Amino acid sequence: MGSFLPKTINKLVEEFSRLPGIGPKSAQRLTMHLLRSPESRLRELSDAVGQLKNGLQFCGTCWNIAEDSLCGICANPHRNHNLICVVEEILDVVAIEKTMEYKGVYHVLHGALSPVDGIGPDQLKIEALFQRLEKMGAGGVPGTAVEVILATNPGLEGETTAMYLMRLLKARDHKITRIARGLPVGGDLDYADELTLTKALEGRMEYS
Ligand SMILES: [Zn+2]
């Protein structure tokens, strides 16, 4: 902010500015808000940030967030483990779970392909997806087909990612579907309301 301000203030503004969706103005406003807050409130916030990753890890199967080696969804025997919904972010899992309609499992890519930002397949959990599918093919329930639902966001990066995965998956004998359009283009899955998401999942189309 200004060089006349204490370093601690400038430091916090800088940290906030690095967060997604927070511009310099918002960063300044948040910092000033905290400056007016009581010490106890600040301690609660810094504790919450500091302890965020305590006891958390990524699920060894789907890369969702987990408190154990498997997330609650992968560890649930009542879910359909042959139905895998591929999403970009953990928040997409949260959004789809809120519909209470989806009974399959997930695979979180942790992003989407974006040549402009230098994000290629190696930066995403794509290899992990293929390893997972390979394992299922070998040790999965015989005669049970696996369906992979590509539920990356509508919009350029999500579509690019879906096309890329589709091409690779097609070579294997998995059923591949893409969630129906109707989601606002450029709108992320986690902004869609539950009915729209449910419809998009129900109306998924098979790639041929
Ligand atoms: Zn999992």
Side-chain angles (χ1 to χ4, degrees):
M1 208 155 28
S3 53
F4 58 93
L5 284 164
K7 271 201 195 86
T8 45
I9 293 184
N10 285 328
K11 174 72 182 147
L12 190 56
V13 172
E14 195 187 304
E15 287 298 332
F16 276 134
S17 309
R18 286 192 196 156
L19 299 173
I22 309 241
K25 273 270 173 252
S26 304
Q28 289 173 10
R29 243 176 263 135
L30 285 170
T31 304
M32 287 304 137
H33 172 79
L34 291 179
L35 207 53
R36 286 190 300 267
S37 306
E39 288 270 356
S40 60
R41 185 71 205 81
L42 297 187
R43 213 162 298 121
E44 272 173 32
L45 178 67
S46 80
D47 283 355
V49 173
Q51 288 164 16
L52 181 62
K53 284 193 160 185
N54 279 4
L56 291 184
Q57 52 186 303
F58 288 116
C59 172
T61 298
C62 76
W63 292 89
N64 185 12
I65 202 75
E67 285 178 290
D68 269 304
S69 56
L70 282 184
C71 72
I73 297 168
C74 287
N76 184 347
H78 302 295
R79 306 287 296 227
N80 178 357
H81 292 262
N82 287 326
L83 184 60
I84 302 177
C85 184
V86 178
V87 294
E88 292 178 23
E89 305 290 349
I90 290 166
L91 279 179
D92 300 331
V93 174
V94 176
I96 295 174
E97 282 301 290
K98 265 204 285 186
T99 67
M100 314 265 279
E101 296 290 333
Y102 180 67
K103 302 287 181 256
V105 292
Y106 297 90
H107 190 89
V108 185
L109 295 172
H110 288 270
L113 293 176
S114 174
V116 185
D117 299 318
I119 299 177
D122 292 347
Q123 273 81 54
L124 307 176
K125 302 299 173 200
I126 288 179
E127 187 51 38
L129 173 65
F130 287 107
Q131 282 174 5
R132 177 180 177 184
L133 289 169
E134 225 148 82
K135 252 191 247 161
M136 292 181 76
V141 188
T144 350
V146 173
E147 177 182 344
V148 180
I149 306 171
L150 300 175
T152 48
N153 289 327
L156 185 62
E157 291 170 5
E159 290 297 341
T160 307
T161 310
M163 289 309 285
Y164 177 85
L165 289 175
M166 192 269 286
R167 246 172 284 161
L168 290 176
L169 285 164
K170 227 176 165 183
R172 298 148 207 250
D173 273 342
H174 301 301
K175 183 178 176 185
I176 315 153
T177 51
R178 175 86 172 111
I179 48 167
R181 289 161 198 279
L183 291 171
V185 172
D188 289 352
L189 242 63
D190 61 305
Y191 285 115
D193 64 274
E194 283 134 54
L195 186 67
T196 309
L197 261 183
T198 302
K199 286 216 157 117
L201 274 166
E202 278 173 356
R204 63 186 187 269
M205 306 269 280
E206 189 162 356
Y207 272 121
S208 51

